[in-house]
Amino acid sequence: MPRAKKKKSLAKGLLLPGFYISTIEEFSAKSGAYEDGGGVYSSKVGLPEYDGMEHYVSVKPFKVSAPERLILGASYVGLVSDVHKNFAQVTIFSKDQLGRPVPFSALLHVSRGGVRRARAATELVKPGDAVVVKLITNWVPLQVSMEGPELGVVRASCSKCGAPLTWDHDGVLKCHACGHREIRKVSVDYGRKNLHSALIN
Amino acid sequence: MEIKMAKLSQEELLTDEGIRTDGRKIDEARPFEVEVGVLTQADGSALVRQGKNLILAGVMGPYEAERHSQFLDRSSLRVRYHMQPYSTNERKSPTYSRREIELSRAIREALEPAIILTELPRTQIDVFVEVLQADGGTRCASVNAASVALADAGIPMRDLVTAVAIGKVRDTLVVDINDLEDENGQADFPIAMMPNKGKITLLQMNGLLTQEEIKRSVEMAKRVINSLYTVQVNALKKKYAPLAASNEG
């Protein structure tokens, strides 16, 4: 292991990968930095940010990648891609460095569906539904929740004829084409969310 | 039709005065230029000129990997090295050749130790290297381009990776070999390093070198790599220093 170079002053200004920042006695590495051989080094192109209270140093990058943009507790628009008994798979969209939506698959467990006594994930969502979910883990596997009135299904199609479903009453959607009724965990924003702008913005 | 290149003798490759075919001395590297962020749609990119080599590298990602290529604990790095049909003195078939598959793997293995893949589990990073013009030592020039493009894409890295090929002509070690020296020389010894760490990430050998020559080659490579690294750093600074100044101001 290379020994950290002894330097009197802390790094300032632009940092590139491999640039020395400080010794580990001075600061611990947080995001954008790493520790190696007793020293703290930058792992990204960015500017250093020192936390003198907690003795952490991080490097604020100029480019933030799509996985790093996924924020814990933030709401995301997603599409249900698969539904099993206990969980559903939801594709949520982050943004890449150029602002393009980048899909990530996340799990929605039946216990986090926002409906008490739901016995199966099929009572909450169905494949193809557009949902608004909250990210509850930002490590893999990503997990999402639909607990909250604003979270849940915002757009759905009829399982029988494929026509758009409209809100009927609490937790029930109705197809005006064939009269079929279906249950979902419906968001208060059902039918009102502009999905295209939600995906892009 | 295959065009055969005339075979050069060792005396033609290196004169008694120690001058090589392109007028360089034995320890002199070719002119090296790096331009960062040349592609607007890629997450990171770099254009490298190393002598007559012209290499374009583009990085896409990280994004969620396909299920079959996902690693639960780390990101997967994919590298595609490709030579354009007009890049060599005879037309190269545009299809992906066995050599390109092998070099893609060599470049990936040279870059992997420098990337902190564990920070991005289940994701995939794609590096596309296009050789627009080839003049020997393209794998090293590709590593130099890809490493800068990865840093430009914001991929977490331990250090940049810099590479150079040491060759042997007329029983003499020479740095940064060109195509003639590669074709007619006695050995080709590409080395890639993380300059700040002093760690070697790629070491290949074509031909024969003695143990003593290998040691001397590594020392020569270190000197050249340090100068090439400075050019890589300056290229990144050229792009990001104005942003840093505006953020600090």
Side-chain angles (χ1 to χ4, degrees), chain A residues 22-155:
Chain A
S22 71
T23 61
I24 53 168
E25 287 83 7
E26 291 168 301
F27 289 97
S28 295
K30 238 182 172 181
S31 66
Y34 69 97
E35 295 173 5
D36 183 24
V40 180
Y41 298 86
S42 169
S43 66
K44 294 203 170 178
V45 182
L47 292 169
E49 286 186 333
Y50 297 99
D51 181 346
M53 297 294 285
E54 299 289 332
H55 290 277
Y56 279 114
V57 60
S58 56
V59 176
K60 190 181 172 192
F62 290 114
K63 283 189 176 176
V64 183
S65 60
E68 291 165 317
R69 281 175 195 264
L70 292 168
I71 301 160
L72 197 67
S75 294
Y76 290 89
V77 171
L79 295 170
V80 178
S81 52
D82 203 2
V83 183
H84 296 260
K85 191 186 176 195
N86 293 328
F87 66 92
Q89 194 168 327
V90 181
T91 305
I92 59 170
F93 295 87
S94 179
K95 286 185 293 181
D96 72 358
Q97 291 154 0
L98 300 164
R100 296 172 295 210
V102 179
F104 284 92
S105 51
L107 289 180
L108 170 69
H109 193 262
V110 66
S111 64
R112 292 291 201 157
V115 176
R116 295 171 81 185
R117 298 193 188 90
R119 286 166 296 177
T122 46
E123 294 175 18
L124 306 169
V125 289
K126 286 198 166 55
D129 288 356
V131 289
V132 174
V133 290
K134 190 169 82 176
L135 194 65
I136 54 172
T137 62
N138 62 351
W139 59 86
V140 287
L142 295 172
Q143 286 190 47
V144 290
S145 159
M146 290 203 306
E147 291 165 316
E150 74 285 2
L151 305 176
V153 177
V154 288
R155 191 171 295 178

